[in-house]
Amino acid sequence: QVQLVESGGGSVQAGGSLRLSCAASGYTGSHYCMAWFRQGPRKEREGVAAANPGGTTYYSDSVKGRFTISRDNTENTLYLQMNNLKPEDTAMYYCAARPYMCDSGSLHWRLLFSFWGQGTQVTVSS
């Protein structure tokens, strides 16, 4: 089965940047949507960004213009470039995947994603 491992989290000051990575293994299909979700303390896990194999991407309104999702289909790696970070971005960030395409509503339905990583912590101080 698909296994996902995140890395790249850390602690930064507001306005700083981080780049998260998600390495996938057991990834034999080419039709998987991959996405980033995050969960702050006592908050529900929310969708951040998603990317289809063909290159289409989707973002939550809260990160649009600041975050960029990308994927290397050859190496089965997903990235999230996070710029101009804000304290409200503080959360555990999770990589997720599903063997279907994503659309504009996919980030609102975390239960549709079949595979999840262990998470990487991002902390932004003011």
Side-chain angles (χ1 to χ4, degrees), residues 12-81:
V12 299
Q13 293 185 338
S17 299
L18 284 174
R19 188 185 187 187
L20 307 183
S21 298
C22 172
S25 61
Y27 189 77
T28 58
S30 61
H31 59 295
Y32 280 68
C33 170
M34 298 186 72
W36 290 97
F37 285 74
R38 66 185 182 185
Q39 186 170 17
R42 299 184 181 278
K43 294 181 63 179
E44 185 175 280
R45 194 170 300 185
E46 63 178 353
V48 176
N52 283 324
T56 52
T57 58
Y58 306 93
Y59 297 92
S60 67
D61 290 337
S62 63
V63 308
K64 193 173 299 181
R66 298 188 298 121
F67 292 8
T68 301
I69 188 172
S70 61
R71 59 190 293 170
D72 184 333
N73 292 322
T74 300
E75 300 296 330
N76 293 329
T77 303
L78 182 73
Y79 302 97
L80 184 67
Q81 180 64 47

